[in-house]
Amino acid sequence: MVGIQDKAAIVGIGQTRFAKGLEDTELSLACQAISAAIDDAGLAPSDIDGLAMFSMEEGREVEVARSVGLGDVTYFGEIGYGGGAGCGVVGHAALAVATGQCRAAVAWRARKRAAKTSRPWAQVSQRITGHWQWSRPFGLLRPVDEIAILTRRYMHEFGATREQLANVALAFRKHANRNPNATMHEKTLSLEQYLAARWISEPLCLFDNCLETDGALAVVLVSAERARDCAQPPVYVHAFAQSIPMQHQVMTNYFCDDPLVGPSYACARLLWERSDFKPADVPVAQLYDAFSPLIPLSLEGYGFCARGEGAAFTENGALEWPHGRLPTNTSGGGMSEAYVHGFNLVLEGVRQMRGTSTAQVEGAESCLVTSGEGVPTSAVLLRR
Amino acid sequence: MVGIQDKAAIVGIGQTRFAKGLEDTELSLACQAISAAIDDAGLAPSDIDGLAMFSMEEGREVEVARSVGLGDVTYFGEIGYGGGAGCGVVGHAALAVATGQCRAAVAWRARKRAAKTSRPWAQVSQRITGHWQWSRPFGLLRPVDEIAILTRRYMHEFGATREQLANVALAFRKHANRNPNATMHEKTLSLEQYLAARWISEPLCLFDNCLETDGALAVVLVSAERARDCAQPPVYVHAFAQSIPMQHQVMTNYFCDDPLVGPSYACARLLWERSDFKPADVPVAQLYDAFSPLIPLSLEGYGFCARGEGAAFTENGALEWPHGRLPTNTSGGGMSEAYVHGFNLVLEGVRQMRGTSTAQVEGAESCLVTSGEGVPTSAVLLRR
């Protein structure tokens, strides 16, 4: 049995601009981000022979390979479940290069809101088939409705408050205000604005929700050996884990003993088992933030605090750069930089390890990046 | 860099019955086959923590996990491109167990013709979007039409004949006649019947086409160490390769210097590089046979004969058990056992290595299994 600890490294990152209503197709956005990541790595398109993608994406492997001008591809695979897949595709690419199935892999996510596949919950067919037939007709129409239920339970059980959720939104907005590429770069956010915002699904207001963004991001991975010769400092995939907990139900995991114990718990257990670091060693994190309450839940799941203490953890600027215990989503995250199914979190993790974040945590040796909570998920621990 | 040679083994196989018009859903069929494979391995459902599936499949990982009663799942991934994915999901499962991302993985394919996703080419949307818009409106309506074009070129360039294609169909039918689980178990096929059959897409007649089958098959993989303690003799994944050749176009790869050099060439090069065996060492093969001409093309691509000699290779019963040079598709294959996107070929490869085929090649130490030709593909070399 051979683990893949530090055997693969991210050596290239690339992204498009972020906006609502970009004209390019999802495929074109993907190709632009991938090309930029290949350039950043100092490689040629023909060097790329591995592809790890979201199955939800419109452009397929052959189209990406043909359009970007890749060489013979010797590894390709997909992961489902949207926001749960971000770290998953990075990890699968790492597995592929670590085992020699390919020499240089790209993992990416392009997302265009108008694309048919990018908001599956918004399609009629998804409301009346599969497990959603048990909740959609009864009012849980959007992901935000599904998470609102969990949030109520969390408030009820542990006394979490709206002010604590605001800590999340405000911290990430401050980080976005430092990041020129963030959608919300120019817009500040105050507690008063947060508390006065309209409900989207009570108890979640406008600012508890992620943005809706068109855009794409990509990373290039090679083996640790090869990474030493690349243009950029290598960022190692120190540990990787995926999780679908037993009897899991996507986004409506209510029918179990403890709905507040989400996939992050099982994913975290594996991740730390495979890691030389412990949560206390990790000085910066990029946590999947489609909705603000996912942050306290993930802080608990990934072991930064005890069960039920995630909301309190956010106080006293704990999530804020530069002085917080755990500066989190230091580019602005899904709530204030861009929502590209969490893939921007991966690139910000890489920047933190390169020392190039606009909210750089000095001397950070490791960064946790997580994907969706409440869905089949994944996480990577990056290392300098 | 660590290869995965012999690091994972198939220790369980399971399948449903094969028929047209089974009543169960694709998900149900998948669960039945997976449960049977877990039983065969002597494991409990809760032992399974890895899932590798066709992205084309209707049932998703969470549903399979919940319905079969799996434990916490720690690896999951998908592969696209239908018939190209069979060996791919086996290989990805092998990667996952070899690297310790999971301890026991299942790979499977369930296919129901009535399922929306199982015949993508038959959907209107697939005729008018993507690359098919360049061929569908001009008469290449079905996969058989696309392969008929290649077949004409092959006949033109190398003098291949219908009698040589018949060698393929007749050999596989003879094997099916020995296999009680084969759809065509009771039906013999003569050269006269073959030559008198109606055209499906000239020069391909009825018997050049695979069956259309509802059914499901699954395999269970564990690490080589653990395999020693399992109920069944381990069948090692000796080598695994995937391929999307440069500038590949799915099923209509006509616009290149040499359309008869398909993905099998690039896939084969990688596979043999990773293997201790050479084609001459391999005494039995399961070659993807959605259409009979794919067999000579694959024989060439995988190096069992020189370019252009695949059709002649089939003569003198070379593909037939027990005396042929390379008994091929010894359960009947896609053309006479069942067409489940080539996954039945994987199980027959395992049976050959276990010594339990109904057309058992005595003393076989290795078996090649390939997936779709003309699409992004994959292959595994199994070892006893």
Side-chain angles (χ1 to χ4, degrees):
Chain A
M1 207 78 85
V2 288
I4 58 157
Q5 192 184 85
D6 298 330
K7 289 204 167 79
I10 298 172
V11 295
I13 57 177
Q15 66 187 58
T16 64
R17 70 190 181 93
F18 304 129
K20 278 192 180 179
L22 289 181
E23 292 205 347
D24 296 329
T25 61
E26 248 183 38
L27 172 62
S28 171
L29 293 169
C31 292
Q32 293 168 46
I34 290 168
S35 296
I38 296 170
D39 286 347
D40 182 58
L43 297 174
S46 59
D47 292 326
I48 303 300
D49 55 3
L51 300 174
M53 65 178 280
F54 282 58
S55 59
M56 198 177 271
E57 185 135 333
E58 273 200 339
R60 308 318 294 167
E61 292 96 331
V62 282
E63 299 166 313
V64 167
R66 209 164 50 225
S67 306
V68 177
L70 305 187
D72 284 356
V73 170
T74 68
Y75 174 90
F76 52 98
E78 306 175 6
I79 304 182
Y81 303 108
C87 295
V89 292
V90 174
H92 281 201
L95 282 176
V97 297
T99 55
Q101 293 295 125
C102 64
R103 286 167 299 186
V106 288
W108 75 92
R109 177 64 172 134
R111 186 166 182 267
K112 183 160 166 154
R113 295 166 65 239
K116 201 174 75 179
T117 51
S118 264
R119 306 209 306 175
W121 55 269
Q123 294 173 53
V124 170
S125 66
Q126 296 279 356
R127 286 177 222 148
I128 53 175
T129 60
H131 80 275
W132 276 304
Q133 71 185 293
W134 312 117
S135 56
R136 291 275 185 269
F138 307 97
L140 296 182
L141 293 175
R142 306 156 298 172
V144 65
D145 302 318
E146 298 168 320
I147 298 298
I149 298 266
L150 282 186
T151 308
R152 272 283 183 230
R153 172 75 174 250
Y154 189 61
M155 289 173 154
H156 171 75
E157 200 154 332
F158 297 116
T161 65
R162 289 197 67 211
E163 285 73 11
Q164 289 169 327
L165 296 182
N167 290 337
V168 172
L170 270 61
F172 298 176
R173 182 59 63 90
K174 283 182 191 169
H175 300 155
N177 295 152
R178 299 183 56 85
N179 172 10
N181 294 321
T183 307
M184 292 299 173
H185 178 56
E186 308 280 349
K187 290 195 181 162
T188 58
L189 178 65
S190 69
L191 180 59
E192 293 65 38
Q193 286 173 294
Y194 174 94
L195 291 172
R198 71 179 191 272
W199 295 125
I200 301 297
S201 189
E202 208 177 330
L204 299 176
C205 74
L206 178 65
F207 297 112
D208 292 310
N209 285 259
C210 64
L211 305 169
E212 284 280 20
T213 311
D214 294 350
L217 306 100
V219 295
V220 173
L221 293 94
V222 299
S223 71
E225 292 90 340
R226 189 170 181 195
R228 290 186 209 112
D229 303 323
C230 283
Q232 298 284 356
V235 175
Y236 299 98
V237 177
H238 179 69
F240 161 55
Q242 284 184 280
S243 177
I244 303 175
M246 196 187 301
Q247 293 295 318
H248 177 67
Q249 199 154 319
V250 180
M251 289 298 285
T252 53
N253 203 36
Y254 311 139
F255 311 101
C256 53
D257 288 345
D258 199 338
L260 297 178
V261 171
S264 64
Y265 279 80
C267 197
R269 191 171 58 243
L270 294 163
L271 191 78
W272 300 121
E273 269 174 28
R274 294 168 185 165
S275 168
D276 293 344
F277 301 92
K278 298 286 154 236
D281 305 323
V282 174
V284 56
Q286 317 300 330
L287 304 179
Y288 184 83
D289 61 340
F291 307 101
S292 65
L294 301 185
I295 299 300
L297 290 171
S298 294
L299 288 165
E300 298 172 15
Y302 284 94
F304 291 98
C305 61
R307 175 114 208 277
E309 294 179 4
F313 183 99
T314 66
E315 297 191 349
N316 304 311
L319 307 181
E320 293 181 28
W321 183 87
H323 299 301
R325 152 66 189 96
L326 188 73
T328 296
N329 296 10
T330 45
S331 65
M335 295 173 66
S336 282
E337 184 191 27
Y339 182 70
V340 191
H341 269 147
F343 214 81
N344 51 322
L345 302 176
V346 174
L347 272 74
E348 175 63 7
V350 173
R351 285 189 295 262
Q352 283 288 350
M353 294 298 92
R354 287 183 176 184
T356 60
S357 171
T358 50
Q360 181 62 41
V361 173
E362 290 306 320
E365 294 286 334
S366 64
C367 180
L368 173 67
V369 186
T370 71
S371 293
E373 173 61 316
V375 293
T377 194
S378 53
V380 289
L381 191 64
L382 301 178
R383 208 194 115 235
R384 208 156 65 156
Chain B
M1 205 80 82
V2 289
I4 59 158
Q5 191 184 85
D6 298 331
K7 290 204 166 77
I10 299 171
V11 295
I13 57 177
Q15 66 188 57
T16 64
R17 71 189 180 93
F18 304 129
K20 277 190 180 182
L22 290 180
E23 291 205 348
D24 296 329
T25 61
E26 247 183 39
L27 172 62
S28 171
L29 293 169
C31 292
Q32 293 168 46
I34 291 168
S35 297
I38 295 170
D39 286 348
D40 182 57
L43 296 174
S46 59
D47 292 326
I48 303 299
D49 56 3
L51 301 173
M53 66 178 279
F54 282 57
S55 59
M56 197 177 271
E57 185 135 334
E58 272 201 341
R60 308 318 294 168
E61 292 97 331
V62 283
E63 298 166 316
V64 166
R66 208 164 51 225
S67 305
V68 176
L70 306 188
D72 284 355
V73 171
T74 69
Y75 174 90
F76 53 99
E78 306 176 5
I79 303 181
Y81 303 107
C87 295
V89 293
V90 173
H92 281 201
L95 282 176
V97 297
T99 55
Q101 292 295 127
C102 64
R103 286 168 299 187
V106 288
W108 75 92
R109 177 64 172 136
R111 186 165 182 269
K112 183 158 165 154
R113 295 167 64 240
K116 202 176 72 179
T117 51
S118 267
R119 305 210 306 176
W121 56 269
Q123 295 173 54
V124 170
S125 67
Q126 297 278 357
R127 285 177 223 147
I128 53 174
T129 61
H131 81 276
W132 276 304
Q133 71 185 294
W134 311 118
S135 57
R136 290 276 186 269
F138 307 97
L140 296 182
L141 293 176
R142 306 155 298 172
V144 65
D145 301 318
E146 298 168 320
I147 298 297
I149 297 267
L150 282 186
T151 309
R152 272 283 183 230
R153 171 77 174 247
Y154 189 61
M155 289 173 154
H156 170 75
E157 199 155 333
F158 298 115
T161 65
R162 290 196 68 211
E163 285 74 10
Q164 289 169 328
L165 296 182
N167 290 336
V168 172
L170 270 60
F172 299 176
R173 182 59 63 91
K174 283 182 191 169
H175 300 155
N177 294 153
R178 300 182 55 85
N179 172 11
N181 295 321
T183 307
M184 293 298 172
H185 177 57
E186 308 281 349
K187 289 196 184 162
T188 57
L189 178 64
S190 69
L191 180 60
E192 293 65 38
Q193 286 173 296
Y194 174 93
L195 291 172
R198 71 179 191 273
W199 296 123
I200 301 298
S201 188
E202 208 177 331
L204 299 175
C205 75
L206 178 66
F207 296 113
D208 292 309
N209 285 259
C210 64
L211 305 168
E212 284 281 18
T213 312
D214 294 351
L217 307 100
V219 296
V220 174
L221 292 95
V222 298
S223 70
E225 293 90 340
R226 190 170 180 193
R228 289 186 210 113
D229 304 324
C230 284
Q232 297 285 355
V235 175
Y236 298 98
V237 177
H238 179 69
F240 160 56
Q242 283 184 281
S243 177
I244 302 176
M246 196 187 300
Q247 293 296 317
H248 177 67
Q249 200 154 318
V250 179
M251 289 298 285
T252 53
N253 202 37
Y254 310 140
F255 311 101
C256 53
D257 288 345
D258 199 340
L260 297 177
V261 172
S264 64
Y265 279 80
C267 197
R269 191 172 59 242
L270 293 163
L271 191 79
W272 299 123
E273 268 173 27
R274 294 167 186 165
S275 167
D276 293 343
F277 300 93
K278 298 287 157 234
D281 305 323
V282 174
V284 56
Q286 317 300 330
L287 304 179
Y288 184 82
D289 62 341
F291 307 101
S292 64
L294 301 185
I295 298 301
L297 290 172
S298 294
L299 289 166
E300 298 173 15
Y302 284 94
F304 291 98
C305 60
R307 175 110 210 277
E309 295 179 3
F313 183 99
T314 65
E315 297 190 348
N316 304 312
L319 306 181
E320 291 181 28
W321 182 87
H323 298 301
R325 150 66 189 98
L326 187 72
T328 295
N329 296 10
T330 44
S331 64
M335 295 172 66
S336 282
E337 184 190 27
Y339 182 69
V340 191
H341 268 149
F343 214 82
N344 50 323
L345 302 176
V346 174
L347 271 74
E348 175 63 7
V350 173
R351 286 188 296 262
Q352 282 288 352
M353 295 298 92
R354 286 181 176 185
T356 60
S357 171
T358 50
Q360 181 62 40
V361 174
E362 290 305 320
E365 294 285 336
S366 64
C367 179
L368 173 67
V369 186
T370 71
S371 293
E373 174 59 317
V375 293
T377 194
S378 53
V380 289
L381 191 64
L382 301 178
R383 208 192 116 237
R384 205 153 69 154

